[in-house]
Amino acid sequence: LRRQRQMCIRDRSRTAQLAHRQGVCWLLARSLRQRRPGILPTRHDLKELALGNADLGPAQSLVNDVSQLILNEVYDLDPLPRSQQQFSALLEQPTEPLQATSDRWLKLLDDLTETRHRLGRALRKLPINLLDTGQQIQRQLGELIYEDFLTATPAYWLPHLPRYLEAMLTRLERADQNPAKERQLRALIAPLQQRWQDCPVAMTDHPDWIEYRWCLEELRVSLFAQPLKTHRSVSVEKMEKMARGLPRE
């Protein structure tokens, strides 16, 4: 019971911190747009992207997510401002980096949208003997791309999302050419994926679990799409060792 209370308090604290950050970023983005129109993306700018990513929520949600991502990178928001004076100090900082940062993340969003569409077409044409593979890829895709994923994904790993989606396309192509090999590799990664699925709710933000979760994506690239290269040196053996050392509480 004591541990449950501690977890509940920790969850409420984290929720409050996230809400505070979102509020600060919303106010900061509004103030910057008033001072310098065009400095941050607007609903008009993201209209086409929002139409092509309807599952990511309305255009304004996408605008808020992209804006928060940009502001988190450009401004030092730790600790978050808690007074008008601290907030005003943010507004006095140089705004030059905003445009380049905005362009970079919007390009990533464009790339993800284009690859998602290609992946969707490939999944719709999947032969019946690869339905299990298709279902796995759809689950993987849903765990990578979802409403507010831009700010929910660790900034370190976010730039690698396009490569993970390209790896899914390569996997589908190779699975069609060699279904037996696909089944063999699927069996290798299944227990490691299950280990992540069994992660205690209170541990999902633990650095070791976060590292494990994203190394799983790198392992998929290594197993199913080797030509795309990995960002980390990974193997089934290394992941098994990592899994054994994960904290439980």
Side-chain angles (χ1 to χ4, degrees):
L1 182 59
R2 181 180 177 184
R3 188 169 65 182
Q4 289 177 339
R5 287 174 180 167
Q6 289 173 337
M7 288 171 57
C8 185
I9 292 171
R10 186 164 57 242
D11 288 345
R12 285 202 298 267
S13 175
R14 182 172 180 272
T15 300
Q17 289 173 358
L18 289 173
H20 185 192
R21 180 173 292 274
Q22 289 170 348
V24 166
C25 287
W26 184 84
L27 286 172
L28 185 56
R30 186 182 68 171
S31 300
L32 288 168
R33 289 189 182 101
Q34 289 172 346
R35 291 185 173 208
R36 290 192 59 185
I39 194 67
L40 287 170
T42 64
R43 276 185 296 181
H44 176 74
D45 298 325
L46 299 185
K47 183 179 178 181
E48 293 301 320
L49 272 174
L51 288 173
N53 296 279
D55 56 326
L56 301 185
Q60 189 58 54
S61 293
L62 195 56
V63 168
N64 293 342
D65 205 29
V66 172
S67 298
Q68 184 175 334
L69 175 66
I70 295 166
L71 295 173
N72 280 333
E73 178 174 331
V74 173
Y75 292 93
D76 183 5
L77 297 179
D78 293 310
L80 290 164
R82 294 185 175 275
S83 69
Q84 182 61 49
Q85 183 180 7
Q86 291 172 337
F87 185 79
S88 297
L90 287 176
L91 292 175
E92 298 306 317
Q93 294 183 24
T95 57
E96 287 76 12
L98 286 171
Q99 190 62 60
T101 305
S102 177
D103 290 345
R104 175 160 44 83
W105 289 123
L106 288 178
K107 183 182 184 306
L108 177 133
L109 197 50
D110 273 328
D111 292 344
L112 286 175
T113 300
E114 190 273 333
T115 309
R116 283 182 82 202
H117 289 168
R118 285 194 288 133
L119 190 56
R121 290 193 294 270
L123 286 168
R124 286 192 291 272
K125 297 177 182 177
L126 212 59
I128 193 168
N129 65 314
L130 293 179
L131 288 182
D132 286 346
T133 295
Q135 289 172 352
Q136 280 196 7
I137 287 176
Q138 287 177 322
R139 283 195 297 270
Q140 181 189 357
L141 184 61
E143 291 175 357
L144 290 174
I145 312 293
Y146 48 88
E147 188 170 354
D148 297 334
F149 79 95
L150 290 171
T151 48
T153 303
Y156 179 85
W157 292 104
L158 189 58
H160 299 284
L161 261 57
R163 179 167 52 88
Y164 298 151
L165 267 64
E166 288 289 349
M168 295 179 203
L169 281 166
T170 301
R171 178 181 178 181
L172 287 175
E173 294 170 3
R174 292 187 166 196
D176 192 35
Q177 297 165 2
N178 192 340
K181 181 70 171 178
E182 161 67 21
R183 288 192 295 272
Q184 179 186 4
L185 295 176
R186 224 165 51 208
L188 279 177
I189 204 170
L192 296 170
Q193 175 64 29
Q194 187 59 51
R195 186 76 170 98
W196 166 245
Q197 298 298 333
D198 293 340
C199 173
V201 174
M203 290 283 103
T204 53
D205 290 330
H206 191 285
D208 291 352
W209 277 99
I210 292 173
E211 180 77 3
Y212 180 82
R213 183 260 179 277
W214 291 100
C215 281
L216 266 179
E217 298 296 337
E218 293 296 322
L219 182 63
R220 289 191 178 98
V221 175
S222 176
L223 293 177
F224 299 109
Q226 298 92 334
L228 295 179
K229 308 294 184 184
T230 59
H231 180 65
R232 293 281 180 87
S233 174
V234 290
S235 66
V236 172
E237 292 75 19
K238 288 180 179 179
M239 292 297 296
E240 287 173 342
K241 182 178 180 181
M242 191 185 298
R244 289 194 294 269
L246 290 170
R248 296 297 301 174
E249 59 180 40

